[in-house]
Amino acid sequence: MHLSRRGLLTGGVVLAATALAGCGGDARPPVTAADIAPPTEPVTIDWMAPELLTNDGKDLRRSLVRAFQKRFPNITVRLVQVPPTTDVRRTTLTTQIASGAVTPDVYLGDCAWPAQFAHNSLAMPLGRVADDEEFWSGYPEEVVSSISYQGQVYAFPCYLDLAFLYYRADLLDKHGLEVPATWEELRRTALRLIDTGDVRYGLVWQGMSGEPLTCNVSEFVADAGGALMDLRARRVRVDSPEARRALTFMTELVSEGVSPEAVGTFAEEQTLTAFAGGQAAFLRNWSYAWGSANDPESSLVAGKVGAVLRPTFEGAGTERHSTLGGWHNFVNPHTAHPGAAVAFARWVAEEEAQTLMAATSPYLPTLSAVLDNPRIAGPDKPTNRLSADAAIVLRPFGSPHYPAISKAIYTDVNRLLVDGADPGAVGDTLTEMAQGMALARDGVAL
Amino acid sequence: MRTTTGKTTGIPAQRPPTENGWAPARRRGRRAGAPPRHDAQRRRMARTGWTYTAPSLAVIGAITLFPIVFSLVLSFSEVRIGYGGFVVERLTLDNYLALVRSSDWYYALGFTVFYTVVTVAAEVVLGVLAALVMERLSASRGWMMALMLIPWSMITVVSARLWAYMYDSSYGVITWLLQNLFGANPLILGTPASAIGAMAVADIWKTTPFVAIIVLAGLVMLPRDVYESAEVDGAGPWTMFWRITLPQLRPTIAVAVLFRILQAFGVFDLPFVLTGGGPGIATQSLAVMGYKVLFQDLNIGAGAAIATSTGLLVAGACLLFLKVFRAQVGKEDVA
């Protein structure tokens, strides 16, 4: 018996081709009213979600599961551990679900994922549920839009995240300064606080080559009155005077010393460390930063912090912008228990769970009735109170190629921040960015 | 190319070619001077051989051959993910065309080659030096080897995270040291040149011990009598190192370099954790780019094309290296 290398290779090719042919197919998951009716028999489902901490450091996921099982005693929800970062989580889910795995039945996914996951058949279209207009009218329009793709809804809302400007209230009081309402005012205040020696940095924000920078760019461009793309993510609108103003200001923050040069390496963690360590006067960060900055065990500035909505540019209107962040529950299209999975994901989006979340944790509820009710959230969390007045900015995640679009944005802007402010650099960056975004939108960018 | 002894240049201990891969087994079963076995018996032995090796071949086929071929097929396909798994729309060359049209791919290729050459060269020099020192140690050699193995045995994700803390521009100890020594305010991971340098330092710190241990193994195997003869002939330490030690170490170094080229060319975990490929795309290796295209953008075909082309490039580089290195070993044999 003789097996040549050529024979082995041919065998391999045949095997691979067979596997490719075998794993092909495009049957849509059966989502009918009967499929998604809650089961009556005992069922166990897996929920993949990162740890969500309550205000007193307990696990919010377990509180939610306990409350759900009181309502649905026949459905047991098991928690599945998740990889620590969003990107690695996405990799785990895409490889697992694309290979046809039936678990996790439900997974908590980023608000930027729906179009991409829908396009790649990684999330169940929520068919009949999506037609329930009354159900969806209970959520902010931007949230529903962010979880929809080509007329279908692909996730149940879980929690929102918005960006705020945190400031050192003690230092502003000490020098008799106002909380800045515009970026120009913030620049002056920050430079003054640096001059007095109270802080090392003026404003810290996320400028590293990654998704957080895309969020910051979206916000600054919106502050200047522009947008990166249209809402359906078809037209690139970044080569505009508004975007030029925003990017020029971002580079000036670094060149004038308002923000450290290291801002080009900062993600959320580094900015929070700098602010909580007393090194910065202002911080742009998500809602969770309120709790972290005021935690006496981990913050040197606990009790000295204030929060407001992000400032805007002088003469560019009064709206105070924040990128929409947040996480929502997707249903695995291959789940063996669609009824139980939909029942759980839907219950988390409804009033009982949303109230529990708002009352016991720092996460902003998505259900408008709960979000707009200050009595539920409590007076100690200004971020909840402020969120009602925020003008929400949607990143162009309506495109299934959003990660590539975002990469075109953050790679070019990061390079601009790192290379330093050159008068011609902003224009070149915008042109390059527009080209990169257009290629990404068409699905031909690498 | 032939040497003066008439031996073909190549691996010195290379066995002469046989009719098939099972020659040694057959030879073991034969007594000297015994008549050749019958064909039927030979077939039976081959069948037994195949039976014993079939499980391992099946495992190798499933975890090595199949994924490689599968990836190759994907790289020539327009693929999307359907509810039933991968759906191949058509066979195409577009994935490779997208690659050669992408400036990011050229950068990633250039960066990966540069990074491989610089880190492997530095690791070989430092590894040989460390091995020479360790060879001189007597009682403490075991301890030193154990200590040196700590960086190597540490999981790269963990060590990359530690380096990231040390390089951090706000609270990193290396930043603090540089500030105190030179009064500068360095942005180690914030500018392309320093980020590449910082990444290379972390890599060299981790993998130099690996090279040192391999070289040390080769060093202790060198015959002592050659050195004694050289000493009698009046050769100094430098001469002995350049004329005896290094030439005889070449096969050992070749193995170490080969391993390191393979690892360095596929570098992923270090830039992924330390810099995320930034600033911009300054530290984006081919593997990081492949990961982003495949798993972030879910661009299956193009991701497979990056993986396949990287595999071919590194295989080509290794073959070229072996050819050059073996030729040099052959020349030393002649000398």
Side-chain angles (χ1 to χ4, degrees):
Chain A
M1 196 171 169
H2 181 74
L3 190 64
S4 65
R5 270 180 290 182
R6 186 179 296 173
L8 270 174
L9 201 63
T10 314
V13 172
V14 171
L15 207 63
T18 315
L20 267 177
C23 69
D26 203 17
R28 293 180 78 79
V31 185
T32 64
D35 286 326
I36 55 171
T40 49
E41 72 281 9
V43 165
T44 299
I45 58 167
D46 287 344
W47 181 32
M48 188 190 263
E51 191 174 45
L52 306 171
L53 290 180
T54 58
N55 293 329
D56 52 359
K58 293 194 178 122
D59 191 345
L60 174 67
R61 296 173 307 171
R62 292 186 194 284
S63 315
L64 288 170
V65 168
R66 270 196 301 275
F68 172 73
Q69 285 179 194
K70 275 185 192 157
R71 294 287 299 257
F72 295 87
N74 60 319
I75 304 176
T76 305
V77 180
R78 279 190 310 215
L79 287 172
V80 179
Q81 291 306 319
V82 295
T85 64
T86 305
D87 273 338
V88 182
R89 228 172 275 164
R90 170 165 48 195
T91 306
T92 308
L93 284 163
T94 49
T95 46
Q96 209 164 316
I97 298 173
S99 66
V102 294
T103 58
D105 300 273
V106 181
Y107 56 93
L108 199 61
D110 193 285
C111 65
W113 291 358
Q116 190 191 27
F117 273 46
H119 183 74
N120 289 289
S121 316
L122 300 169
M124 182 186 276
L126 296 167
R128 296 295 177 96
V129 184
D131 291 340
D132 189 346
E133 274 183 30
E134 197 190 327
F135 176 82
W136 294 109
S137 64
Y139 301 89
E141 209 179 306
E142 295 87 349
V143 172
V144 180
S145 151
S146 74
I147 52 177
S148 303
Y149 178 65
Q150 294 185 345
Q152 273 275 18
V153 180
Y154 283 86
F156 284 104
C158 182
Y159 69 86
L160 280 183
D161 218 346
L162 295 176
F164 298 92
L165 179 78
Y166 299 96
Y167 60 91
R168 287 284 300 279
D170 59 328
L171 295 183
L172 294 186
D173 283 348
K174 182 177 160 188
H175 297 285
L177 297 164
E178 292 287 315
V179 179
T182 64
W183 287 116
E184 289 78 3
E185 198 183 333
L186 181 139
R187 176 161 57 189
R188 289 190 292 273
T189 308
L191 286 173
R192 183 154 168 214
L193 290 174
I194 293 172
D195 284 345
T196 58
D198 286 313
V199 283
R200 193 171 159 201
Y201 311 136
L203 169 71
V204 285
W205 46 283
Q206 299 77 36
M208 76 166 286
S209 186
E211 188 61 28
L213 178 54
T214 302
C215 297
N216 279 268
V217 175
S218 305
E219 286 166 355
F220 275 118
V221 172
D223 293 339
L228 295 172
M229 291 181 92
D230 63 326
L231 273 180
R232 299 173 71 190
R234 298 266 170 82
R235 245 188 74 220
V236 177
R237 292 173 53 189
V238 80
D239 211 349
S240 65
E242 292 83 10
R244 184 182 290 264
R245 181 179 185 183
L247 258 62
T248 305
F249 181 76
M250 290 168 85
T251 53
E252 283 171 359
L253 283 176
V254 179
S255 64
E256 291 176 9
V258 176
S259 297
E261 285 183 6
V263 88
T265 64
F266 281 3
E268 281 89 347
E269 182 194 347
Q270 287 81 10
T271 53
L272 185 58
T273 305
F275 186 75
Q279 295 193 52
F282 297 100
L283 161 76
R284 178 268 177 208
N285 212 328
W286 302 99
S287 51
Y288 78 98
W290 172 257
S292 306
N294 280 305
D295 178 1
E297 282 185 15
S298 61
S299 172
L300 295 176
V301 296
K304 302 172 182 170
V305 179
V308 285
L309 289 169
R310 293 173 63 265
T312 187
F313 285 114
E314 271 171 15
T318 54
E319 285 195 322
R320 313 287 286 265
H321 296 97
S322 164
T323 313
L324 180 70
W327 287 71
H328 307 305
N329 277 309
F330 296 68
V331 177
N332 181 344
H334 309 298
T335 173
H337 310 291
V342 168
F344 175 67
R346 182 176 174 141
W347 177 84
V348 173
E350 289 176 334
E351 193 170 352
E352 186 183 351
Q354 293 281 302
T355 306
L356 177 71
M357 197 162 70
T360 62
S361 79
Y363 303 100
L364 295 174
T366 43
L367 192 64
S368 303
V370 181
L371 184 66
D372 300 339
N373 188 341
R375 278 184 300 127
I376 298 175
D380 57 330
K381 275 188 294 183
T383 46
N384 278 38
R385 194 179 63 246
L386 292 165
S387 60
D389 298 327
I392 292 178
V393 182
L394 289 178
R395 286 166 278 164
F397 44 48
S399 163
H401 305 296
Y402 172 69
I405 295 175
S406 177
K407 190 164 65 183
I409 298 165
Y410 67 66
T411 305
D412 284 336
V413 179
N414 178 260
R415 201 182 287 141
L416 179 75
L417 294 174
V418 168
D419 287 350
D422 167 2
V426 171
D428 293 345
T429 299
L430 284 171
T431 310
E432 207 173 307
M433 219 164 105
Q435 286 165 354
M437 287 169 72
L439 287 174
R441 171 203 60 197
D442 298 338
V444 291
L446 286 189
Chain B
M1 192 179 185
R2 290 194 167 266
T3 64
T4 49
T5 55
K7 214 166 66 181
T8 308
T9 51
I11 301 172
Q14 201 173 22
R15 283 196 303 272
T18 54
E19 281 173 28
N20 59 44
W22 302 101
R26 209 174 64 221
R27 210 177 292 133
R28 266 203 303 279
R30 265 173 80 176
R31 287 194 315 275
R37 285 184 189 277
H38 196 265
D39 275 0
Q41 198 176 356
R42 224 163 50 190
R43 275 203 299 275
R44 204 165 44 244
M45 286 193 68
R47 208 176 301 130
T48 314
W50 277 106
T51 313
Y52 282 128
T53 51
S56 345
L57 285 176
V59 171
I60 292 169
I63 65 170
T64 309
L65 194 64
F66 174 72
I68 290 173
V69 178
F70 192 72
S71 175
L72 188 70
V73 175
L74 285 177
S75 74
F76 285 104
S77 311
E78 191 184 310
V79 198
R80 66 180 177 83
I81 305 171
Y83 286 111
F86 288 149
V87 181
V88 177
E89 304 281 8
R90 64 191 174 98
L91 292 177
T92 175
L93 284 174
D94 286 357
N95 298 322
Y96 287 96
L97 288 177
L99 231 62
V100 296
R101 285 178 190 145
S102 162
S103 57
D104 286 6
W105 184 73
Y106 286 109
Y107 180 84
L109 178 63
F111 168 71
T112 309
V113 170
F114 171 77
Y115 175 80
T116 302
V117 170
V118 169
T119 56
V120 174
E123 284 155 16
V124 167
V125 172
L126 293 172
V128 169
L129 288 175
L132 287 169
V133 172
M134 281 204 290
E135 197 220 0
R136 297 290 166 113
L137 300 174
S138 48
S140 56
R141 191 197 287 172
W143 284 104
M144 285 306 293
M145 276 176 69
L147 275 176
M148 280 198 71
L149 276 173
I150 291 174
W152 173 247
S153 59
M154 201 180 272
I155 297 166
T156 311
V157 171
V158 175
S159 60
R161 197 77 197 131
L162 292 175
W163 280 102
Y165 282 130
M166 292 195 288
Y167 287 141
D168 190 279
S169 54
S170 297
Y171 47 81
V173 66
I174 295 177
T175 307
W176 176 82
L177 265 175
L178 292 173
Q179 271 170 354
N180 283 287
L181 286 175
F182 304 108
N185 195 13
L187 268 182
I188 299 172
L189 297 177
T191 64
S194 57
I196 293 171
M199 195 175 126
V201 167
D203 194 305
I204 293 164
W205 169 81
K206 183 176 165 61
T207 37
T208 297
F210 168 76
V211 178
I213 300 285
I214 291 189
V215 174
L216 182 64
L219 214 50
V220 295
M221 299 292 282
L222 296 184
R224 295 290 106 189
D225 52 347
V226 184
Y227 288 96
E228 283 159 15
S229 309
E231 214 170 327
V232 170
D233 291 344
W238 269 111
T239 315
M240 283 200 270
F241 173 73
W242 287 109
R243 304 296 290 269
I244 302 173
T245 310
L246 203 58
Q248 294 199 74
L249 273 180
R250 275 194 175 145
T252 316
I253 293 174
V255 172
V257 170
L258 205 62
F259 273 115
R260 287 298 307 132
I261 289 178
L262 286 168
Q263 288 173 331
F265 214 83
V267 65
F268 173 77
D269 35 15
L270 187 60
F272 185 72
V273 175
L274 194 63
T275 59
I281 54 164
T283 55
Q284 183 166 277
S285 65
L286 284 170
V288 171
M289 186 183 178
Y291 169 83
K292 286 184 176 174
V293 170
L294 194 56
F295 293 115
Q296 286 186 1
D297 305 346
L298 297 181
N299 194 345
I300 312 284
I306 294 175
T308 306
S309 55
T310 306
L312 287 175
L313 285 166
V314 73
C318 286
L319 286 175
L320 190 73
F321 169 79
L322 272 180
K323 207 172 165 69
V324 172
F325 222 87
R326 278 176 184 167
Q328 285 190 0
V329 172
K331 276 179 196 160
E332 290 304 329
D333 283 350
V334 179

